[in-house]
């Protein structure tokens, strides 16, 4: 606006008395023309400067965007491919490889392909810890999927907690644990063991009054049976009607034990709760058949026998015996049927051992779902980093081939359905009971630890006991998980 003021000042300058009108006219005209010329030059100069600057700005290269990370994301797979647990764990590794192939075919995670690093701890529990340490510190994987037995999980737990690693654990377990660094996609006791025994106590299950608790001698069977014994006593079952026995891993001779089971079951109203793990189930069930123990006279409810284990057995004598899981291959859903077909096709295409007889089962399913759950959390967080994934997991809904599940907002477990099914002659299961909706996980049982819970939600520090209305955390120094 300055040039307007300048022009106005020149035009309004008064004429002097010492000049003529003509002289005044030319003087005014000269000043007007001079001012206009000067003004025009100034404006042109200003426009030139502005034009130059705008042109320079338009021609300057934009700042280079930050390079997108397209390097592979390493993930660890830690399952026994040899030893006593290979019968159960090998197929989980196989389905994990299928999931990796599927995810990579659709662009990977956050635009990055997955690179699996597979380790075989060979059913050797201390070796699990060594392999876990290698995966975290040498291979620098973003996450590990693995373990089956609770003793293997307990072996690796200090490694993950010390090194801020993340483990997805796909198998049912005994509870009494709630680690910051573990996501338990398998069942807690109230999602398998307790509903199975409640079924036997009810009318549908024959209102049983005698229970033989038989398992492998390690953490999972002993802790699970401790919970079940406390539950049965609370339900009014006499201590004399509860038997309990354990055998070592890879035990093969069940003749004497099955003879005791047979005597225990005489008179009816009895059932066996089977927590035998691994290949020992083969001689156990063979001996049941040899001694004529049938599902009608003394049904066996298994927590670690599924479709994959039945491939190694003559199932005809086992018809009618039961299992409790959170998934069966026979779940009647279109997407589940597609999942089963894909796994069978993957086994055939990749020449996996016994490809023609491959099946899906509960641990196989939760291994597969675990990877997709991690993928969903990493994409929600925008990063595969452990802390980012942990912050994205609580409350996450995951749509699986067998329906929706929910990552519990508090305790690093998953809400899921519970099924009870009977063995068929073809090695499959017929579902005979299903929970109403998803069952909320409770890692600490009300029968052994009333008032104890776990919360890794906003500000939570894991497991706690209630003192009045106040939480007393078992590890008050635990590091809370950051909220998104």
């Amino acid at each position: 606006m300055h040039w307007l003021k300048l022009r106005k000042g020149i035009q309004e300058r008064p004429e002097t008395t010492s000049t003529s009108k003509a002289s005044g006219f030319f003087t005014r005209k000269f000043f007007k023309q001079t001012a206009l010329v000067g003004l025009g030059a100034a404006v042109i100069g200003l426009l030139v400067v502005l034009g130059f600057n705008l042109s320079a700005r338009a021609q300057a290269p934009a700042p280079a965007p930050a390079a997108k990370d397209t390097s592979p994301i390493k993930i660890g797979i830690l399952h026994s491919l040899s030893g006593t647990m290979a019968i159960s764990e090998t197929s989980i590794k196989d389905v994990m490889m299928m999931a990796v192939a599927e995810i990579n075919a659709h662009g990977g995670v956050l635009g990055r392909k997955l690179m699996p690093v597979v380790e075989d701890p060979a059913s050797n529990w201390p070796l699990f810890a060594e392999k876990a340490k290698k995966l975290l510190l040498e291979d620098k994987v973003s996450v590990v999927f693995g373990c089956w037995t609770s003793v293997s999980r307990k072996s690796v737990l200090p490694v993950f907690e010390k090194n801020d690693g993340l483990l997805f654990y796909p198998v049912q377990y005994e509870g009494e644990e709630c680690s910051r660094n573990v996501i338990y996609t398998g069942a807690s006791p109230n999602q398998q063991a307790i509903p199975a025994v409640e079924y036997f106590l009810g009318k549908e299950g024959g209102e049983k009054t005698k229970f033989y608790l038989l398992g492998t001698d390690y953490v999972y069977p002993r802790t699970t049976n401790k919970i079940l014994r406390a539950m049965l006593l609370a339900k009014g079952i006499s201590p004399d009607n509860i038997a309990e026995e354990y055998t070592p891993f890879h035990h093969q001779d069940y003749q004497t034990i099955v003879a005791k089971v047979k005597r225990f079951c005489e008179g009816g109203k009895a059932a066996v709760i089977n927590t035998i793990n691994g290949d020992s189930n083969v001689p156990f069930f063979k001996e049941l058949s040899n001694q004529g123990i049938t599902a009608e006279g003394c049904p066996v409810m298994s927590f670690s026998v599924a479709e994959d284990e039945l491939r190694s057995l003559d199932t005809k004598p086992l018809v009618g015996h039961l299992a409790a899981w959170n998934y069966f291959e026979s779940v009647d859903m279109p997407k589940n049927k597609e999942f089963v077909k894909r796994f069978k096709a993957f086994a055939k295409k990749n020449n996996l051992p016994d490809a023609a007889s491959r099946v899906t089962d509960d641990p196989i399913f939760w291994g597969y779902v675990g990877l997709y759950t991690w993928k969903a959390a990493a994409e929600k967080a925008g990063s595969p980093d452990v802390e980012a994934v942990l912050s994205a997991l609580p409350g996450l809904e995951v749509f699986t081939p067998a329906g929706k599940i929910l990552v519990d907002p508090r305790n690093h477990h998953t809400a899921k359905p519970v099924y009870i099914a009977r063995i068929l002659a073809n090695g499959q299961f017929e579902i005979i009971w299903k929970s109403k909706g998803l069952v909320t996980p409770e890692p600490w049982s009300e029968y052994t630890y009333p008032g104890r819970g776990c919360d890794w939600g906003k500000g939570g520090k894991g497991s706690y006991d209630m003192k009045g209305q106040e939480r007393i955390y078992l590890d008050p120094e635990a590091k809370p998980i950051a909220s998104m």
Side-chain angles (χ1 to χ4, degrees):
M1 298 296 292
H2 178 71
W3 69 274
L4 289 172
K5 292 181 181 178
L6 176 64
R7 184 179 181 186
K8 184 178 180 182
I10 293 172
Q11 290 175 332
E12 294 177 353
R13 183 175 296 171
E15 297 179 20
T16 59
T17 55
S18 59
T19 59
S20 65
K21 290 183 179 179
S23 175
F25 169 79
F26 282 110
T27 302
R28 290 194 301 271
K29 185 175 182 180
F30 172 78
F31 275 107
K32 286 180 182 179
Q33 290 175 342
T34 303
L36 288 173
V37 169
L39 178 62
V43 170
I44 291 170
L46 178 62
L47 291 174
V48 168
V49 172
L50 288 174
F52 173 79
N53 287 340
L54 289 171
S55 175
R57 185 177 300 169
Q59 293 175 7
K68 184 177 180 181
D69 189 355
T70 58
S71 62
I73 300 174
K74 289 184 179 181
I75 65 170
I77 298 176
L78 185 65
H79 281 296
S80 293
L81 310 180
S82 57
T84 188
M85 291 307 302
I87 186 177
S88 298
E89 295 191 59
T90 298
S91 291
I92 306 181
K93 183 271 296 182
D94 294 337
V95 83
M96 296 295 296
M97 298 304 288
M98 183 182 87
V100 168
E102 289 178 352
I103 290 170
N104 283 345
H106 289 85
V109 176
L110 300 169
R112 301 166 65 185
K113 296 295 180 70
L114 299 181
M115 179 186 292
V117 182
V118 180
E119 293 290 345
D120 174 19
S123 306
N124 180 330
W125 318 134
L127 190 56
F128 268 87
E130 292 180 30
K131 295 289 188 180
K133 189 173 181 180
K134 173 187 176 293
L135 287 169
L136 294 178
L137 300 184
E138 295 181 26
D139 299 305
K140 298 190 182 302
V141 299
S142 294
V143 61
V144 176
F145 302 88
C147 300
W148 175 296
T149 65
S150 288
V151 66
S152 67
R153 190 192 69 255
K154 294 286 189 184
S155 176
V156 305
L157 195 59
V159 177
F160 282 90
E161 292 181 340
K162 179 180 179 181
N163 297 286
D164 293 324
L166 181 59
L167 172 69
F168 274 72
Y169 180 64
V171 186
Q172 94 293 6
Y173 84 119
E174 71 284 353
E176 301 192 1
E177 182 181 295
C178 192
S179 173
R180 184 183 193 274
N181 298 82
V182 180
I183 305 301
Y184 307 80
T185 57
S188 57
N190 74 305
Q191 295 174 310
Q192 185 195 33
I194 289 173
V197 172
E198 286 177 339
Y199 173 83
F200 270 149
L201 291 170
K203 190 173 181 179
E204 285 182 284
E207 298 178 323
K208 305 301 184 187
T209 59
K210 298 172 68 178
F211 292 84
Y212 203 112
L213 312 179
L214 177 62
T216 302
D217 191 6
Y218 79 107
V219 179
Y220 165 66
R222 284 192 175 274
T223 305
T224 298
N225 288 335
K226 177 187 70 174
I227 294 169
L228 294 181
R229 178 180 284 274
M231 172 191 172
L232 290 169
L233 294 174
K235 299 287 186 179
I237 301 297
S238 168
D240 295 335
N241 286 343
I242 305 172
E244 195 169 343
E245 189 160 1
Y246 300 93
T247 58
F249 277 102
H250 202 57
H251 187 71
Q252 299 296 304
D253 184 3
Y254 280 90
Q255 186 174 358
T256 302
I257 291 173
V258 169
K260 289 192 285 185
V261 171
K262 187 174 182 178
R263 290 193 297 272
F264 183 84
C265 292
E266 291 175 354
K269 294 290 185 181
V272 177
I273 302 299
N274 172 28
T275 51
I276 295 172
N277 251 293
D279 58 6
S280 293
N281 278 291
V282 176
F284 169 63
F285 276 103
K286 283 183 177 178
E287 191 59 38
L288 286 177
S289 176
N290 291 341
Q291 297 198 31
I293 296 179
T294 65
E296 291 75 19
C298 189
V300 176
M301 178 78 76
S302 295
F303 299 159
S304 296
V305 175
E307 293 89 336
D308 210 29
E309 287 77 19
L310 291 181
R311 292 192 300 139
S312 304
L313 293 169
D314 177 10
T315 54
K316 292 180 182 177
L318 305 181
V319 171
H321 288 298
L322 307 174
W325 289 104
N326 307 103
Y327 167 88
F328 286 98
E329 183 178 295
S330 55
V331 169
D332 190 13
M333 294 183 182
K335 289 187 180 298
N336 183 52
K337 292 177 181 179
E338 293 172 10
F339 166 65
V340 173
K341 287 180 181 178
R342 289 202 309 276
F343 185 55
K344 292 178 184 292
F346 179 84
K348 183 178 180 180
K349 179 180 178 182
N350 291 275
N351 297 314
L352 299 183
D354 304 314
S357 66
R358 285 305 184 101
V359 293
T360 61
D361 68 10
D362 183 281
I364 292 171
F365 178 78
W366 293 109
Y368 179 85
V369 169
L371 181 50
Y372 275 94
T373 300
W374 173 84
K375 175 181 182 291
E379 290 177 341
K380 178 183 175 182
S383 168
D385 293 343
V386 170
E387 291 299 321
V389 170
L390 283 175
S391 69
L393 279 164
L396 188 68
E397 289 186 341
V398 182
F399 294 90
T400 81
K404 182 183 73 173
I405 66 163
L406 177 72
V407 180
D408 191 89
R410 306 162 299 144
N411 60 33
H412 284 192
H413 294 63
T414 55
K416 56 177 73 70
V418 181
Y419 299 96
I420 294 173
R422 63 166 61 98
I423 298 173
L424 301 176
N426 64 359
Q428 284 294 313
F429 285 86
E430 176 191 10
I431 296 172
I432 59 174
W433 182 88
K434 179 185 176 181
S435 62
K436 295 179 180 179
L438 305 182
V439 177
T440 301
E442 295 295 344
W444 295 96
S445 174
E446 61 178 317
Y447 294 107
T448 49
Y449 288 94
R452 178 168 291 184
C454 178
D455 191 354
W456 287 110
K458 186 175 181 181
K461 296 183 179 182
S463 295
Y464 61 86
D465 287 320
M466 293 301 298
K467 186 177 181 180
Q469 299 298 314
E470 183 183 1
R471 289 181 178 183
I472 307 298
Y473 283 98
L474 304 190
D475 182 8
E477 301 301 318
K479 177 184 174 184
I481 294 169
S483 301
M484 286 195 72

